Amino acid sequence: MIKKPLPIVIAVLVFSFIFIVGFSHSIHETPKKMALNDNKKEHVQPSTEIKEKLPIIISPDNIDVLVNKEYGLPEDYAPNDLVYPNIPFLFNEKIEKRMMRKEPAEALEKMFAAAKLDGICLAGVSGYRSVARQEVLYNAYVHRDGVEAADTYSARPGHSEHHTGLAIDVSGITGEFAVEDHFADTKEAAWLDKHAHEYGFIIRFPKGKEEITGYKYEPWHIRYVGTEVATEIFNTNSTLEEYYRNYFA
Ligand SMILES: [Zn+2]
């Protein structure tokens, strides 16, 4: 057996020590994340994990999660309870955008059934959207209209409510004016405006709140938050942003 010279043994030990300490330091350096949506009783703490200088949500599964231009979902987030709601869509394929999370899917089925009793036949246009799909769409809009215009109507990847599985765009069953400004003048939009909150949905980007939500009026984009929060937002004629602002005030 060959005996190693002492200086080499010491060098190896020192190197190993530096490596282990350095490595363990890096894996234990877990960044603090945004407390928002985790425990509403706690005030919002500034995040120390900054991605593109924006805070990351730590409880993306919360039904009343706030996702907007400021608060983004974790990069690898995907809901784990996606289902196909039993409602008509404007297309037949069983694809990603036909899905929603279980709770909003059930609420949506009830809402569509209630609308039908009032003579309003609704259809789904686009529900869940993975971050990969959002990236494709956003980039295409930027390519077509430029960043500034695209940002008024399309979310950046990680910042779309469709990514939560809690939001869906709806139209009338004929698909006329689907995801178009003129949808605002339809009886379907009027019905949604009046009744969506009864089933836990809000018109997420209302008229006159563009400065607060960061998006133009979208009468077709409904977001599930549960009936309690939805009713509060409906009664106060406000937005999810204002709801949180008032909650923490
Ligand atoms: Zn939408």
Side-chain angles (χ1 to χ4, degrees):
M1 198 175 151
I2 299 164
K3 209 177 168 186
K4 286 179 186 167
L6 191 60
I8 292 178
V9 172
I10 290 171
V12 167
L13 285 175
V14 167
F15 179 78
S16 303
F17 178 75
I18 291 168
F19 178 77
I20 290 163
V21 168
F23 182 69
S24 66
H25 179 69
S26 69
I27 59 169
H28 290 299
E29 206 175 37
T30 313
K32 279 184 200 159
K33 292 184 181 179
M34 198 72 191
L36 190 61
N37 302 313
D38 190 31
N39 182 352
K40 285 198 249 164
K41 302 291 174 224
E42 278 179 26
H43 280 255
V44 179
Q45 298 296 321
S47 168
T48 55
E49 181 180 86
I50 303 291
K51 193 193 168 214
E52 293 169 353
K53 300 194 176 5
L54 297 174
I56 304 292
I57 296 157
I58 60 165
S59 299
D61 281 325
N62 281 11
I63 289 298
D64 54 1
V65 63
L66 178 66
V67 178
N68 57 19
K69 286 179 193 289
E70 192 179 359
Y71 297 108
L73 295 159
E75 211 170 327
D76 57 351
Y77 178 70
N80 59 11
D81 59 351
L82 291 169
V83 296
Y84 292 102
N86 188 18
I87 57 149
F89 275 82
L90 292 185
F91 54 90
N92 293 320
E93 301 89 340
K94 259 197 156 181
I95 48 179
E96 179 183 283
K97 66 179 181 178
R98 206 183 181 97
M99 293 194 285
M100 284 191 92
R101 286 184 59 195
K102 197 168 182 293
E103 189 175 325
E106 286 169 0
L108 193 71
E109 288 169 0
K110 281 186 195 145
M111 190 179 78
F112 272 44
K116 207 170 180 180
L117 289 177
D118 287 347
I120 303 294
C121 295
L122 301 170
V125 180
S126 186
Y128 173 65
R129 199 178 297 151
S130 65
V131 70
R133 179 73 188 139
Q134 187 67 31
E135 192 152 14
V136 168
L137 288 175
Y138 178 77
N139 290 342
Y141 296 141
V142 167
H143 184 73
R144 188 184 68 186
D145 297 334
V147 172
E148 207 177 315
D151 280 340
T152 66
Y153 65 84
S154 176
R156 296 183 174 203
H159 292 266
S160 171
E161 286 203 321
H162 287 276
H163 184 178
T164 65
L166 298 167
I168 183 166
D169 301 328
V170 298
S171 74
I173 193 76
T174 63
E176 196 183 15
F177 304 130
V179 198
E180 283 179 26
D181 292 345
H182 281 304
F183 179 68
D185 305 321
T186 64
K187 59 183 191 302
E188 290 84 5
W191 192 93
L192 286 170
D193 201 38
K194 196 172 171 192
H195 296 288
H197 69 280
E198 295 163 18
Y199 303 90
F201 290 93
I202 55 169
I203 308 297
R204 181 64 178 88
F205 309 118
K207 199 172 190 171
K209 300 282 187 176
E210 294 84 353
E211 291 288 309
I212 295 166
T213 64
Y215 289 100
K216 67 184 185 71
Y217 177 39
E218 290 194 0
W220 57 83
H221 178 108
I222 57 169
R223 157 67 200 276
Y224 187 75
V225 288
T227 51
E228 199 183 318
V229 177
T231 302
E232 166 81 13
I233 288 173
F234 177 82
N235 287 340
T236 52
N237 191 28
S238 63
T239 59
L240 196 55
E241 279 78 12
E242 290 165 289
Y243 170 79
Y244 275 103
R245 209 178 289 166
N246 293 338
Y247 201 99
F248 291 124

